[in-house]
């Protein structure tokens, strides 16, 4: 499982050379909601929260790079002047929700409604947004709507999406599918990660409500959507509308 995921992620990093601009919506509920041209004027610093900075500022090595190494929201706050000092005026951070064990990267969601406690408290994240905005730094958060953490078929480990009907029937994406079989790309598992069924009304509405509430609650300025090709385009249109902020996603080319 670990090797398969590593290989797939390596393939993503190697061939990820295009950016898909999705639907952008401006709404009076978001004082900072900026359009794509305004975002294009920003210089974005991407960081993986767990690997960026610890709260105490220590920089000793990580004993096991396959799990958490200690980076936190407070660690990011402590280094905002470093980021702005290099000329960046926006940050893009890895997913913030609670993950299944080993999900230091954030892409193995367990509970959409809880922040990952490994990165700090909810107040720490609120403080991060506030400190960024005080410096005129915009915050883009990575989000996942395609899959959950690697629990096999034990869906009871996942909060909210805990029933078999919340997922597509089992099949695995093959690399050649990206070139010639979009149905399999949208309905099969990427790296054996349980594939959410966005055609299920409960799953669809839950994801739309979640992203809307997440943006409003924390005043996030934009989102980057993971695994864009693996979900039908019409869902991403609704998802972007529900978010109400600038939205981008990555695709193969």
């Amino acid at each position: 499982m670990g090797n398969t995921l590593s290989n797939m992620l390596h393939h993503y990093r190697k061939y990820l050379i295009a950016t898909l601009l999705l639907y952008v919506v401006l709404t009076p509920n978001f004082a900072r909601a900026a359009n794509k041209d305004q975002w294009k004027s920003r210089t974005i610093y991407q960081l993986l929260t767990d690997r960026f900075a610890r709260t105490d500022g220590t920089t000793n090595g990580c004993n096991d790079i396959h799990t958490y190494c200690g980076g936190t929201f407070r660690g990011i706050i402590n280094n905002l002047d470093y980021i702005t000092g290099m000329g960046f005026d926006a940050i893009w951070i890895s997913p913030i929700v609670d993950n299944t064990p080993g999900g230091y990267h954030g892409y193995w969601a367990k509970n959409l409604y809880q922040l990952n406690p490994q990165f700090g408290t909810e107040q720490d994240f609120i403080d991060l947004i506030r400190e960024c905005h005080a410096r005129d730094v915009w915050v883009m958060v990575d989000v996942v709507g395609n899959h959950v953490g690697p629990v096999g078929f034990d869906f009871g480990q996942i909060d909210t999406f805990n029933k078999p009907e919340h997922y597509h029937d089992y099949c695995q994406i093959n690399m050649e599918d990206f070139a010639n079989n979009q149905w399999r790309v949208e309905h099969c598992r990427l790296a054996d990660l349980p594939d959410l069924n966005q055609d299920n009304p409960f799953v669809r509405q839950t994801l739309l409500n979640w992203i809307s509430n997440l943006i409003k609650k924390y005043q996030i300025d934009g989102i980057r959507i993971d695994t864009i090709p693996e979900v039908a385009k019409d869902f991403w249109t609704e998802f972007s509308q529900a978010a109400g902020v600038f939205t981008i996603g990555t695709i193969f080319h």
Side-chain angles (χ1 to χ4, degrees), residues 154-216:
D154 188 7
F155 303 126
Q157 294 187 50
I158 305 298
D159 289 83
T160 307
F161 302 129
N162 53 14
K163 298 179 180 178
E165 57 264 33
H166 297 155
Y167 301 88
H168 289 126
D169 291 339
Y170 178 79
C171 54
Q172 290 272 10
I173 297 176
N174 300 313
M175 294 313 301
E176 57 267 24
D177 291 335
F178 290 104
N180 55 33
N181 197 327
Q182 185 60 26
W183 187 93
R184 284 182 55 84
V185 171
E186 294 178 4
H187 289 79
C188 296
R189 293 186 177 196
L190 175 68
D192 203 27
L193 297 171
D195 198 68
L196 288 167
N197 181 4
Q198 292 79 14
D199 289 329
N200 177 293
F202 173 77
V203 173
R204 194 180 195 93
Q205 195 58 53
T206 297
L207 289 170
L208 297 179
N209 291 343
W210 166 69
I211 194 60
S212 176
N213 293 334
L214 187 78
I215 300 298
K216 291 175 182 177

Side-chain angles (χ1 to χ4, degrees), residues 37-65:
D37 290 327
Q38 291 170 311
W39 266 97
K40 285 169 68 175
S41 72
R42 293 272 158 164
T43 306
I44 305 172
Y45 186 92
Q46 182 187 2
L47 59 90
L48 189 69
T49 299
D50 179 66
R51 302 299 161 91
F52 181 66
R54 300 185 179 107
T55 298
D56 62 9
T58 56
T59 58
N60 54 296
C62 184
N63 292 329
D64 183 0
I65 63 171

Side-chain angles (χ1 to χ4, degrees), residues 73-226:
F73 297 136
R74 187 64 56 182
I76 300 173
I77 293 173
N78 295 341
N79 286 277
L80 284 176
D81 290 340
Y82 162 75
I83 293 173
T84 58
M86 292 188 291
F88 294 96
D89 50 16
I91 60 172
W92 158 16
I93 66 175
S94 49
I96 62 176
V97 302
D98 191 23
N99 268 222
T100 57
Y104 67 89
H105 40 67
Y107 298 99
W108 291 353
K110 178 182 186 294
N111 185 351
L112 293 179
Y113 298 104
Q114 179 176 317
L115 299 187
N116 193 327
Q118 297 282 348
F119 303 150
T121 66
E122 181 179 52
Q123 188 59 52
D124 289 337
F125 185 66
I126 292 171
D127 290 345
L128 171 60
I129 299 292
R130 186 180 66 244
E131 291 294 332
C132 284
H133 289 172
R135 294 168 171 80
D136 191 32
V137 172
W138 295 356
V139 180
M140 176 180 287
V141 172
D142 214 319
V143 298
V144 184
N146 172 67
H147 59 264
V148 297
V151 297
F153 299 94
D154 188 7
F155 303 126
Q157 294 187 50
I158 305 298
D159 289 83
T160 307
F161 302 129
N162 53 14
K163 298 179 180 178
E165 57 264 33
H166 297 155
Y167 301 88
H168 289 126
D169 291 339
Y170 178 79
C171 54
Q172 290 272 10
I173 297 176
N174 300 313
M175 294 313 301
E176 57 267 24
D177 291 335
F178 290 104
N180 55 33
N181 197 327
Q182 185 60 26
W183 187 93
R184 284 182 55 84
V185 171
E186 294 178 4
H187 289 79
C188 296
R189 293 186 177 196
L190 175 68
D192 203 27
L193 297 171
D195 198 68
L196 288 167
N197 181 4
Q198 292 79 14
D199 289 329
N200 177 293
F202 173 77
V203 173
R204 194 180 195 93
Q205 195 58 53
T206 297
L207 289 170
L208 297 179
N209 291 343
W210 166 69
I211 194 60
S212 176
N213 293 334
L214 187 78
I215 300 298
K216 291 175 182 177
K217 182 175 184 179
Y218 298 115
Q219 293 298 295
I220 295 165
D221 304 299
I223 57 173
R224 177 266 182 185
I225 302 175
D226 183 63

